[in-house]
Each structure stands twice: as C-alpha cells, then as structure tokens.
Amino acid sequence: MFKKTFKGGVHPDDGKRYAKDASYRAYLPQGELVFPMSQHIGKPAKPLVKKGDTVLAGQLIGEADGFVSANIVSSCSGTVKAVENRRTASGAKVMSVVIENDGQYTLAEGIGVERDYKMLGKEEILGSIQKAGIVGMGGAGFPVHVKLAPKNADEIRYIIANGAECEPYITCDDQLMRTKSMELAEGMRILLKLFPAAEGVFLIEENKPEAIAAMEKACAGDEKLKVHAAKCKYPQGGERSIIQVIAGIDLKLGMLPADAGCVVDNVATIYAIYQAVCKSIPLMERGFTVSGDVVKEPCNLIVKIGTNMAEVLETAGGIRDGKEAEKYLSGGPMMGMALADLNVPICKNNNALTVLGEDPVAKAEQQETACLRCGRCTRVCPLGLSPQEMMDAAKRRRFVRYEKKLYGLECIACGSCTYVCPAKRPLMQTFKQTKAEIMAKKRAAQAQQGGAKK
C-alpha cells in the first residue's frame, strides 16, 4: 500500500492557476537556434558539424563523448552559423552549435519511422534511447540510457513515473498527462520490458484531477500499471520523496534509487522514450510553461530544443500592461535559476520560464536577521539534514565538517529550509555555492594528482 506523503516538506502557493488550463500549442522559433553540447550531467558531447554545414531536423550534431554523456540532435533544418561558446540558463558559457533556421524543419532520413517495441530486445530499446539523446527532463539531465542499466536490474520492483510537478507555476507535465496519457502508458510498458519483475506507477499530486483521470483511463485493465494520487506537498517530485511514498523506503544518504529497487523518471522523459522507441523520433522538442503573475498570456508550449527564451516570452504576450517584471527564472520560484538575460536557449532539462512582479530573494535580503534557533529548517528538510549546522559550517568554511559530518553534499537544493526560515537567511543559496566550491576543489585536486602521475 502506497503512502500519501513523505517526511518534511512545505506548502508554498502552487501558482498553477495561471496556466493549468492552457492547452498545449506548438511554437516554431523564428530566429537562430543554439544547441549547447552540455545539456546533461556528465561529459559534454563532441560537435560533429562545422560552420557552413547544412543540417536537417533530427540530425546528430553532437556525439556523446563518454559513458555518462548524451547525443545532441538538431531540432530544425538550416545552416550552421557558428560553433562557439554561448551562455546558457545556468550562466555558464558552453561550447554550442548555432544554426540559422530555414523555417522548413526538413526531417533527416529515418525520423518518424514507426516500430513495434514488442518486437525489440532490451539492447535495441536501450540503443534507441541512447541514440535519441534522452536525458532526465525533470531538471537533473542525467543520461537515461545509463539510469536504465543498473547492475541490479532483476531487483528493480518499481518504475516510478514522476508526474508530481510540485514546483510552483509549472504545468507542462500536467498538460502532457492530460493529452498524451495513452502514449505515456505505452512508454511505461516499454520500460517494463527492461525490468520484467517491476510494476509501473504514475505518481501525480492531487491538484491535477484531470491528469489523474486521464492516466487512470489509459492504465485501466493493465495489472502492471498503477496511478497513485499523492498529497500536494513540496518537494514531492524529489526522488527520495517519491521513493518514500511508493516503496516505503527512506533512502539512506549516498544510496541510489536502484539500491531501493526503484527507477524514477519524469513523465516527459517517459514520453520521449515512447517517441524514440516507437516513432524513431530523437529528443528535439519538449513541453514548456511560460507563467508568472505578470505574464500577459500564461501558456504551455511544445518548443523546439534550442529556442531562445526571449522568443517564448514574446509568444506569451510579454508582460501585462501596467506591470513590471522584477524576476525572471528558468524553472520555478523554489529551485529555478535567476536569469540576467533571456537570450539563452531552452535545453533538454529546461521546463519553464517564470516571470514575477516581485523578487522574493531581494525582499528577503532586506529582512535577514541572525539565526533564531527555531529548528524549522530541520523539520521541513525532506532528507533529514540540519540546515542550521550546515549554514554555520559553510560560513566558517569548515568544508570537511560540512561534507563528512553534516552530509551537506546530499542537499538537493529544494529551498524548503529557506522558505520557512523566519530569519530570512539565504540557506539554499549558500548551500549551492558551498557545494560548487567543494566540488571545484575536488576537481582541481584530481587534476593535480593526474598531472603528478604523468
């Protein structure tokens, strides 16, 4: 029996009212498209094209350069304008292929060829997923073909489709489940071919009744497929939170989902798997929400990977008359990244542009006080960490304690601690910076050690 919720968590305003009933519509980009070679966790892809080359939609333009890496395909036809560093939503400059879109979207040979997945073996299915360049589309961007090849494949009990979509304002997964429920059910059956001992579970929060009804209809009559409605609580979409609810296991720090007999994939990822295996369509487009309290026409779009974020805000009508935008976010207000410039491409793991009339971080900075020792941050942490002690260690730069004693690198940066802090301390922001600094030191030490061996 599945649980209804997990330990910890918070209840922010979900902001779903702005775009939840906006039906999907396709958006075809007008300008150049930018394809960063790093749209995933792991080693960047290797560019396969050069300036002046003609490319087709669905053509491989970046080849995975290692086991933990992912292919990059063009989502348009046109001419390569440049292969150069371009800035992404993260703020980093990444080697990218820039394509001048010809507006024709001429498909490469073989794209769209239908196949019966029941006639394919495990290796053929995994090969199709790998070739398509599919990564985790809920935000993490982990190459899916790697996730689907755990060492203990026979011990996997649950394939969990993450349809929680707990991040405020974002509604593209809700629309996906409402409109593509049959395809999602087939995508789950494809995954169950890889893990025959498992059952497939679609976890959806209760604030999406239409999606729940659609998925229940699509799964009806298949005893290996289940739909579970969980309570609305953030961050229900985190892997550890989902595994608590479905498998009833508290994933220990350092453990992977496969160690608990689970594989967790976002519903958008499962739809991409269906497209790749059954339709021979690589990852070229995705669902994307443009929302926020100052957006004129909040919407859910099907966008081509590589589309400029400024373009999608324009197609949403821009900013409402008489309003001003103070905060632009790639993602939502809890885990999203602030954007200083909208001239960045939509990547595989970007699911939303959220525009707010007030900057909550700037407001909190004006109200910040010393820690009150109230313990609220510890009570809401879904991992059971101690944000109060982590903050102290981070401020004192006691990085060994932060990592080894307080398990600070396990933090998923959900922002729950920051949300409830009455002292308005920038806990999550500090933890992200601290993790980045620790990891940079580790990489430098490894590089130095490698150089010494040579």
Side-chain angles (χ1 to χ4, degrees), residues 182-296:
M182 299 302 291
E183 291 87 343
L184 286 169
E186 283 292 86
M188 180 63 83
R189 293 186 184 103
I190 291 170
L191 294 181
L192 290 176
K193 277 206 73 175
L194 302 178
F195 304 99
E199 60 180 318
V201 183
F202 288 88
L203 182 142
I204 311 170
E205 285 195 328
E206 291 174 334
N207 62 351
K208 303 172 185 64
E210 297 87 355
I212 292 170
M215 289 310 311
E216 286 179 337
K217 182 178 180 181
C219 296
D222 191 330
E223 61 181 20
K224 294 206 75 175
L225 300 186
K226 293 180 172 58
V227 178
H228 179 59
K231 286 185 178 180
C232 298
K233 188 167 64 169
Y234 178 87
Q236 180 59 76
E239 281 188 332
R240 284 181 170 87
S241 302
I242 285 177
I243 289 169
Q244 268 189 33
V245 170
I246 299 301
I249 295 173
D250 291 332
L251 206 62
K252 295 179 181 178
L253 297 176
M255 286 177 63
L256 297 173
D259 297 329
C262 300
V263 171
V264 183
D265 276 317
N266 183 267
V267 289
T269 307
I270 293 176
Y271 181 69
I273 289 170
Y274 165 80
Q275 290 278 83
V277 176
C278 296
K279 304 291 183 181
S280 305
I281 298 174
L283 183 50
M284 297 189 289
E285 60 185 23
R286 64 156 301 137
F288 192 86
T289 299
V290 185
S291 189
D293 56 9
V294 296
V295 174
K296 193 170 185 178

Side-chain angles (χ1 to χ4, degrees), residues 330-343:
S330 174
M334 295 299 286
M335 293 187 74
M337 293 175 287
L339 294 169
D341 185 357
L342 291 184
N343 288 308

Side-chain angles (χ1 to χ4, degrees), residues 357-379:
E358 184 180 81
D359 185 347
V361 175
K363 186 176 179 181
E365 286 175 348
Q366 297 172 356
Q367 300 172 342
E368 184 181 349
T369 68
C371 177
L372 305 179
R373 306 292 181 185
C374 64
R376 292 183 189 180
C377 57
T378 300
R379 289 195 293 274

